[in-house]
Amino acid sequence: MSTFMIEPGAWLAGRYRLDELVSETSGASFWKATDETLARPVAVWTFTEGFPRTGDVVRAARATSRIADSRVTQVFDADDTAVVPYVVEEWVIGQSLGDLLAQGPMAPDRAAGLVAEAAETLATAHATGLYHLNLTPGKLMWSVGGAVKVTGIGVDAALHGLAPGSPGPVDAQGLGRLLYAALTGHWPDTAAQPGLRPAPMANGAPCPPSQLRPQIPERLNEIVCRSAFQAPMRGAPLTSPREVADALADVPRMVPLPATMASGPAAPPTEQGTSRLSGEFETVAASAPPPPPSRRRPAPADPGGRDGTPGPSPATKVALGVVALLVFVAVVVGAWTIGSSFSGSDNPSADGTSSDGDGTNKDGDEVQLAELKPLSAKGFDPPPGDGGEHDGNAKDAIDGDPSTAWKTEGYNSADFGKLKPGVGLLLDMGDPVELHEVELVLGTAGPANLEILVGDGADLSALDSAASADGVSGEETVKLAEPAKGRYVVVWFTELPQDGKYRGTINEVKLLGKT
């Protein structure tokens, strides 16, 4: 059976649903998929009938699964005897080195720390007889959990039939190229890499990193030249990942900032610690500094009389306070009585609208709410989720057509197996809005629990719960107790109805408020 006949939605081994074709090579296809048994995203390789290296890839994958290093991509399953042979791997959620470099080259210490982690990982793999041989910026990942991941160990070499006689120098050179790219934002090879410019050449060879960025420490410049170019500098060429790891052993292990945080708030200071991944000496983010003291001025001490005589006694102060309070209450009651006689309202609210829900303001005019149109919609599955939730169908929830729908992925329990707090639909309004109501057309498979989250950031920590509704289905209007302001609105499922699997459905969502 040919892999190229498989379409999204196909199943393998009765549990892996192929969701999206990510890439194809000659005879092999790479998919984003869902392990329906464990309700988690996975990566799947499938192979065409007659692909000559299927057995090699499966054997390499099984060998990779035995590497005792959490920075190696996990292999969950592999079978070359199935009708459609496959390898199932961890779907790494995060940013690749190429993604991080989209904002420009990294700070030297961050670049060195990232590549040092990769070098240690490759050194562990080489010790078991496995190699990479195809290191590119897309293979070095920084996961959402703050861990470094190296993808493709063992499997990439088998896929492409790479078997050099001396794998040590090949992977050492690959690590040097990654460090060159991280330091300069250029790629020192004739093979183009997405998003990276080729390195400038001098005398037929790429310029050393320090010629592109003079602030690069000479020691790192030398390590790049000894590994990427296999050139003797103040030491012999580095001819294995272990030698590269040893050369970088004392660099601080600082987690690279993701590209989305490049213009955000400054990172907290760093302190020394020990990596749970490598056991090496590292530098990790310190806890946030204590908040600054309040700017409120302290009340001045009682200076007494102007002529130096003591001020009023405590008992006198209490008596004066009681008198002042009684006078204040009398004034408020009088004003309320007079106002009620003019307005005809028996129970005015603090903002001037009547509390009996007639939708009028203090002048008796009806408060008008306008429909707020989102600029875009996408699935929202923040960490520990995989970031997306059927994003391709999200637009169907705001297209004005209740016959189309966005659905969450299918789960094995209503509460996501208690592995995460929820999933939802993220609406980007473009600019901050004032939200008052949310009209929903939901699925009718069963009752769901949901919340309305509003905030100025598209991550869970920047969103506040503005309203909740339990046991809802079909048409439902969720009114906010207080208007909420923000650029992003999320319809957030905290408990799913059962629809075969457990999944939430939104046919249509309409937001009402003020821009």
Side-chain angles (χ1 to χ4, degrees):
M1 180 177 180
S2 171
T3 290
F4 299 106
M5 297 174 61
I6 298 177
E7 297 181 349
W11 287 65
L12 299 176
R15 65 183 289 182
Y16 306 116
R17 189 189 69 235
L18 304 181
D19 296 327
E20 180 184 351
L21 180 62
V22 178
S23 64
E24 291 179 322
T25 59
S26 56
S29 298
F30 186 64
W31 300 82
K32 181 181 181 184
T34 299
D35 181 347
E36 289 286 1
T37 300
L38 297 177
R40 65 180 176 186
V42 292
V44 174
W45 282 102
T46 58
F47 310 97
T48 59
E49 184 178 2
F51 179 64
R53 293 183 292 276
T54 300
D56 294 339
V57 176
V58 170
R59 284 189 292 273
R62 289 171 177 164
T64 301
S65 70
R66 295 190 287 269
I67 299 177
D69 193 317
S70 61
R71 294 165 294 191
V72 177
T73 307
Q74 296 181 69
V75 176
F76 300 132
D77 196 357
D79 189 352
D80 57 353
T81 64
V83 175
V84 179
Y86 62 86
V87 169
V88 181
E89 300 176 334
E90 173 186 9
W91 180 265
V92 180
I93 306 166
Q95 293 177 298
S96 69
L97 175 59
D99 297 329
L100 295 169
L101 294 179
Q103 301 293 320
M106 301 170 65
D109 50 2
R110 292 188 179 277
L114 182 62
V115 176
E117 295 274 0
E120 290 173 358
T121 308
L122 265 294
T124 301
H126 275 236
T128 66
L130 286 171
Y131 319 109
H132 198 294
L133 310 180
N134 190 36
L135 285 170
T136 64
K139 304 295 182 180
L140 182 53
M141 299 288 296
W142 177 66
S143 74
V144 293
V148 172
K149 287 282 186 178
V150 182
T151 66
I153 293 176
V155 172
D156 267 24
L159 274 170
H160 299 287
L162 303 175
S166 301
V170 174
D171 275 347
Q173 187 173 36
L175 290 165
R177 290 171 177 168
L178 293 182
L179 183 54
Y180 188 108
L183 291 169
T184 68
H186 292 75
W187 185 245
D189 198 352
T190 55
Q193 292 298 322
L196 292 180
R197 294 168 291 174
M201 305 293 286
N203 300 320
C207 293
S210 59
Q211 290 188 16
L212 278 63
R213 295 182 70 200
Q215 64 268 42
I216 293 174
E218 181 57 30
R219 177 168 171 268
L220 295 182
N221 184 71
E222 292 174 1
I223 291 174
V224 169
C225 293
R226 293 172 61 196
S227 55
F229 308 141
Q230 295 290 291
M233 297 282 289
R234 295 183 181 177
L238 301 174
T239 58
S240 71
R242 171 50 58 197
E243 291 181 359
V244 177
D246 290 345
L248 295 170
D250 60 347
V251 300
R253 305 305 171 87
M254 302 174 71
V255 174
L257 289 175
T260 53
M261 292 292 291
S263 59
T270 58
E271 61 184 15
Q272 295 172 343
T274 303
S275 169
R276 292 171 298 174
L277 298 176
S278 63
E280 296 287 347
F281 194 64
E282 70 168 354
T283 301
V284 296
S287 58
S294 171
R295 295 178 180 272
R296 183 178 298 171
R297 296 179 180 177
D302 184 5
R306 291 183 181 272
D307 58 358
T309 59
S313 68
T316 302
K317 290 181 180 180
V318 171
L320 290 174
V322 171
V323 171
L325 178 61
L326 291 174
V327 172
F328 175 76
V329 170
V331 171
V332 170
V333 171
W336 177 81
T337 303
I338 296 172
S340 298
S341 66
F342 283 103
S343 66
S345 171
D346 296 330
N347 191 15
S349 64
D351 63 359
T353 60
S354 60
S355 62
D356 58 5
D358 63 3
T360 58
N361 60 18
K362 62 183 180 181
D363 298 320
D365 299 325
E366 185 177 354
V367 176
Q368 297 293 330
L369 298 179
E371 180 177 357
L372 307 173
K373 294 285 190 179
L375 286 183
S376 63
K378 63 177 294 186
F380 186 60
D381 187 15
D386 65 354
E389 191 80 6
H390 286 173
D391 292 352
N393 298 329
K395 62 182 183 302
D396 292 338
I398 58 171
D399 62 358
D401 181 3
S403 66
T404 62
W406 167 82
K407 293 186 177 183
T408 71
E409 296 180 4
Y411 295 87
N412 291 330
S413 64
D415 60 357
F416 315 97
K418 300 189 183 301
L419 298 175
K420 55 186 176 183
V423 296
L425 182 72
L426 174 71
L427 306 176
D428 183 356
M429 310 306 295
D431 293 300
V433 297
E434 183 180 290
L435 182 67
H436 289 240
E437 295 181 12
V438 179
E439 296 181 359
L440 297 168
V441 180
L442 304 170
T444 56
N449 294 351
L450 58 83
E451 296 181 29
I452 305 300
L453 311 180
V454 183
D456 289 321
D459 57 86
L460 199 55
S461 63
L463 297 162
D464 295 319
S465 179
S468 63
D470 293 343
V472 294
S473 64
E475 296 186 10
E476 184 73 24
T477 298
V478 182
K479 295 186 177 182
L480 279 60
E482 297 288 341
K485 294 183 179 181
R487 172 178 170 176
Y488 297 95
V489 178
V490 176
V491 182
W492 179 246
F493 286 100
T494 56
E495 190 165 319
L496 301 173
Q498 188 170 13
D499 180 13
K501 290 281 188 178
Y502 289 87
R503 54 171 54 89
T505 301
I506 301 178
N507 294 69
E508 200 64 30
V509 57
K510 181 179 179 181
L511 308 179
L512 299 175
K514 299 178 181 180
T515 55

